[in-house]
Amino acid sequence: MRAVDIIIKKRRGEALSKEEINFFIDGFVNGSIPDYQASAFLMAVCCNGMDSWETVDLTLAMVNSGEKVDLSRIKGIKADKHSTGGVGDTTTLIVAPLVAACGVLVAKMSGRGLGHTGGTLDKLESIPGFRTNLTMEEFINSVQTAGLAVIGQSKDLVPADKLLYALRDVTGTVDSIPLIASSIMSKKIAAGSDAIVLDVKSGSGAFLQSLDDSFALADAMVKIGVRAGKRIMAVITDMDQPLGMAIGNALEVKEAIEVLKNKQSGPLKEVSLYLAANMLLMAKACTTLEKGLAIAGKALESGKGLAKLGDMIRSQGGLEEVLDNTDLLPKAKHIIPVKTDKDGYVSSIDTREIGICSLLTGAGRSRKEDEIDPAAGLVMQKRVGDKVQKGDTLAVLHTNKSDIIDEVSNLLRNAFHIKPEKPKLRPLVLGTVTKDRIQKFV
Ligand code: URA
Ligand code: CA
């Protein structure tokens, strides 16, 4: 077999065999296939797509490129969730404790911020002392004793994804359904959980903006999971505006704590409960979604979810007192309201731009090696559909960098589109995809 023939075949739009895909991925990871051929391959996949068999074969070839986590020592069903990436998407910090409080073990492998989106590891590390680089032994112990643990991906897990992702990032081949699906699912399969809920974001703050693409991505990922023997489903949720009000690491931790204290309702709480209920369903802890919603709701109202978050923080070395006193989280020097000069309704929000504003305050990375500032970010004061008057605050910037305030304030103001007429709102949950059914709610 020759790499060039596989590239030509995909360039012509033909389907690749399992042997061809394995040959290409193995060769790329062991260095016998160079970056320039892998780049051409990625571009051919990006332009011509892959059918569901090829996508599954690609994913499994990627899984087999490295080590797999063996969670079999932990008795019972282990559940995991994964978001395709959003802005103000703090759901893991709420959902994982809620599900664990309902008796389902959560063994979660999370990522760092990517592009304009936030990452769970960065958020958790804003809690003083919190460690996400547990050894496998510590991870398994934490899941067994606390009921949940969140760690970063070890370097030996799916090396094919790290190598491919680095090329995709610089060759214009990130937003391809088979490439995103195989990238995410290879990591989920290698991470070893039995039950998986995928949160596929759709809208101006997501990697895929159109609803059709989001459903296609969800369907591709569910098919891969089913072929790998997982209990899996996907929820398609709105990312046409930030999910929570806070964007930035410590700010999002604080908001998650408020939700778990039952002091804040709204979209973040609603989507978190919906995801938690589906995780309980996938883990067979309930028989219907309605029962799952009731159980998860009770875990929130009783404070059991909050207590579980405390268990996780303690078992991963963090300062548990932040739950009682969020002033112990890092705070920014400059806290600056950004006001509107218009009257009307917030008709839409450029959510990607909001994510970039948060990144510019110091909350994210522009380059892989950048340090993030845990205190930085912004807090939204208005959502789509809200009425605004000249002088109203749209959002509040939190930053330690005084030199970015003017520029970011302007970008932020322009990310809010204000019109005279009240816009039509779309539902938070746009649909679900299971093994045998695609349901669209819009
Ligand atoms: N997240 C991933 O892990 N991979 C992608 O390709 C996109 C989002
Ligand atoms: Ca995320």
Side-chain angles (χ1 to χ4, degrees):
M1 237 181 266
R2 295 194 316 154
V4 65
D5 297 325
I6 296 172
I7 297 168
I8 292 169
K9 192 169 174 187
K10 187 40 59 188
R11 195 203 70 208
R12 289 185 178 141
E14 293 168 33
L16 301 177
S17 71
K18 182 174 174 170
E19 290 69 30
E20 287 164 333
I21 290 171
N22 284 341
F23 173 84
F24 205 96
I25 296 301
D26 290 349
F28 177 51
V29 173
N30 74 28
S32 62
I33 294 178
D35 280 3
Y36 52 81
Q37 285 188 311
S39 301
F41 172 82
L42 289 169
M43 187 56 82
V45 172
C46 202
C47 294
N48 291 328
M50 278 186 153
D51 66 28
S52 64
W53 294 98
E54 292 176 279
T55 310
V56 169
D57 290 337
L58 174 62
T59 309
L60 298 180
M62 289 168 71
V63 172
N64 290 330
S65 72
E67 285 176 7
K68 281 163 249 180
V69 178
D70 181 7
L71 296 177
S72 60
R73 269 164 57 201
I74 308 174
K75 294 219 162 46
I77 295 184
K78 279 76 65 182
D80 192 358
K81 78 163 269 280
H82 188 85
S83 154
T84 57
V87 177
D89 174 17
T90 319
T91 51
T92 292
L93 269 54
I94 300 165
V95 173
L98 283 180
V99 169
C102 298
V104 172
L105 300 174
V106 180
K108 174 145 175 52
M109 206 166 267
S110 283
R112 299 204 176 268
L114 186 67
H116 65 285
T117 70
T120 299
L121 296 181
D122 299 326
K123 295 172 199 179
L124 285 170
E125 285 174 0
S126 73
I127 301 170
F130 197 99
R131 287 175 53 221
T132 60
N133 62 342
L134 304 182
T135 63
M136 205 34 72
E137 203 58 35
E138 290 174 316
F139 179 57
I140 290 176
N141 275 339
S142 261
V143 176
Q144 280 170 325
T145 55
L148 74 169
V150 176
I151 58 165
Q153 195 190 324
S154 87
K155 67 177 193 336
D156 305 321
L157 204 86
V158 202
D161 180 59
K162 290 191 189 72
L163 295 167
L164 287 172
Y165 202 94
L167 282 187
R168 286 168 61 205
D169 212 16
V170 293
T171 56
T173 52
V174 170
D175 48 354
S176 145
I177 289 171
L179 296 180
I180 297 175
S182 56
S183 167
I184 292 176
M185 287 307 297
S186 59
K187 289 173 282 192
K188 291 291 109 181
I189 292 167
S193 279
D194 315 289
I196 301 167
V197 170
L198 301 166
D199 180 7
V200 178
K201 302 289 181 190
S202 190
S204 64
F207 285 107
L208 294 177
Q209 312 212 338
S210 91
L211 202 52
D212 285 347
D213 283 349
S214 302
F215 274 98
L217 175 63
D219 191 43
M221 293 196 290
V222 168
K223 283 199 168 86
I224 296 167
V226 169
R227 277 278 297 280
K230 304 291 180 187
R231 293 177 54 80
I232 184 168
M233 60 88 64
V235 180
I236 291 84
T237 63
D238 178 58
M239 193 34 74
D240 258 343
Q241 60 178 324
L243 182 59
M245 301 304 267
I247 302 139
N249 300 293
L251 295 168
E252 290 189 47
V253 169
K254 183 174 174 195
E255 187 174 26
I257 292 170
E258 295 298 312
V259 171
L260 285 170
K261 284 184 174 168
N262 208 15
K263 285 187 183 163
Q264 181 183 313
S265 29
L268 175 60
K269 175 178 168 183
E270 218 176 296
V271 169
S272 295
L273 287 172
Y274 195 82
L275 293 171
N278 278 294
M279 273 172 84
L280 295 172
L281 197 57
M282 286 297 110
K284 300 186 184 173
C286 61
T287 49
T288 65
L289 180 65
E290 289 64 36
K291 285 182 186 155
L293 284 167
I295 301 170
K298 214 183 257 169
L300 194 146
E301 282 154 27
S302 65
K304 282 188 182 152
L306 183 72
K308 266 293 161 211
L309 179 62
D311 292 346
M312 177 172 84
I313 294 175
R314 189 169 359 94
S315 87
Q316 297 195 225
L319 186 69
E320 197 188 348
E321 287 74 21
V322 298
L323 296 190
D324 297 322
N325 182 6
T326 50
D327 284 339
L328 295 169
L329 291 165
K331 275 192 279 200
K333 265 201 295 258
H334 309 287
I335 298 179
I336 316 281
V338 175
K339 297 180 177 175
T340 180
D341 50 10
K342 295 192 182 113
D343 291 321
Y345 291 92
V346 178
S347 68
S348 64
I349 292 176
D350 184 339
T351 312
R352 184 188 180 85
E353 199 62 24
I354 300 273
I356 290 168
C357 286
S358 167
L359 191 151
L360 293 173
T361 63
R365 299 175 187 81
S366 299
R367 289 168 312 172
K368 208 167 65 209
E369 58 279 11
D370 287 352
E371 287 274 328
I372 61 161
D373 178 352
L378 57 100
V379 182
M380 308 281 288
Q381 303 293 311
K382 297 289 178 194
R383 300 190 67 85
V384 174
D386 284 351
K387 192 171 180 174
V388 295
Q389 283 184 315
K390 219 175 274 157
D392 281 354
T393 300
L394 297 171
V396 179
L397 286 179
H398 291 242
T399 188
N400 289 310
K401 300 186 192 176
S402 54
D403 56 327
I404 55 96
I405 292 171
D406 288 344
E407 182 202 348
V408 178
S409 298
N410 278 328
L411 288 173
L412 194 55
R413 193 175 293 111
N414 291 332
F416 285 79
H417 306 150
I418 293 165
K419 297 222 170 112
E421 59 287 349
K422 200 174 161 78
K424 231 182 110 204
L425 295 178
R426 67 174 185 174
L428 283 171
V429 178
L430 300 161
T432 57
V433 175
T434 58
K435 183 161 60 103
D436 27 46
R437 190 160 175 218
I438 296 181
Q439 271 188 293
K440 298 190 178 180
F441 303 150
V442 279

